[in-house]
Amino acid sequence: MEQTRKCPSCGGTMIFQPGFNSLRCQSCGHKEVIPELVSKIPVNEMDFLTAQNTASHDWGMETKVVTCKNCGAETIQNKLQLSGMCPFCGSTTVEAADPAQDMMAPNGIIPFKITENRALYIFKDWIKDRFLAPELLAQDAKLNKFYGIYVPLFTFDVLTENRFTGRYSEDGRTLLRCGKFRHQVDDFPVVASKQLASDKLLLNVMKDYWTKEAKPYTPDALAGFPCEHYSIGLNEAWNSVGPDMDFYLKNEAGKQGLTRYLKELDMTTEYFDLKYKYLIVPVWINSFYYDNKLYTIVINGQTGKIDGQWPKSFGTFAKKAALFFLGSFGLD
Ligand SMILES: [Zn+2]
Ligand SMILES: [Zn+2]
């Protein structure tokens, strides 16, 4: 199977069409539904302990790894495609190499639902009332362009056994409660992109996927869209769940009738039967420099949730422009 699909009626290039689970020919408009994306087959849960031996390394196409020399982001692209621009920082200084032997391939995908036009609409609505929005939009054409990319996301299923000691004070006496409960965790998400996981606002957008809608991986969904290579590996991802998992499990403890004890609840957790899925999930991304600082805005390609940083102050560029404006009226 190859990812740059040729149109059967005219030989043109077919690319993935967000929202339609299909490929569309850019020349004649011929459409083909991608069977995997409309199937009811669930994405396999993979065994964590044997991942090294059982994970797939087959992307279903000839791949290359494109590394950005500016920000270090790595994307995986079809070998036949031109390596263009880095979606994370806009740099065109990129370098392509063959993938490493042990580079895992995803076993599931959430296809793009939000189209590029819809993404632009969501963005313009989001910045509407923000500082400098009209000036920046008029001045920087790049701001009017979003790039679609798939980003790696690991999800974990695990059975937990939790032992707790809770304390609660009432009318001058302290109530104590000890016990244990079991809880099966389902699809606990960890974003495997350092670029996006390091920012709280971006991370909120990235944790907003309905993972139940994931489909078995198919390279056809990557026609026209690059995919970021995970910069946080499977082990590292699982080792990083600690604080988030504690928070989640304490919330579950509340549902076990422990609400009153939550303030002073000590809990230890044992994990059993750890499973994972390696999903790639869709993001529309826009990066721009303002006053020498990189700003990144992301839109969840499935749900349309948007967030990111936006300049809060007048940068040097705007100051210069303002001075020039005053100068041109001979006021200086
Ligand atoms: Zn065609
Ligand atoms: Zn970059």
Side-chain angles (χ1 to χ4, degrees), residues 34-85:
I34 301 171
E36 287 88 346
L37 301 187
V38 292
S39 78
K40 295 232 155 45
I41 304 168
V43 182
N44 280 338
E45 297 286 351
M46 308 289 289
D47 185 46
F48 181 86
L49 291 175
T50 59
Q52 258 191 337
N53 306 320
T54 53
S56 162
H57 297 95
D58 182 10
W59 285 77
M61 61 180 180
E62 283 242 57
T63 54
K64 63 182 172 189
V65 177
V66 178
T67 308
C68 171
K69 289 194 154 181
N70 186 41
C71 76
E74 287 185 346
T75 50
I76 293 150
Q77 296 177 14
N78 188 297
K79 210 163 192 173
L80 305 171
Q81 262 172 358
L82 290 174
S83 325
M85 207 194 69

Side-chain angles (χ1 to χ4, degrees), residues 208-226:
D208 193 46
Y209 291 96
W210 305 317
T211 50
K212 288 284 165 260
E213 288 189 7
K215 299 290 177 188
Y217 167 74
T218 160
D220 282 349
L222 292 169
F225 294 92

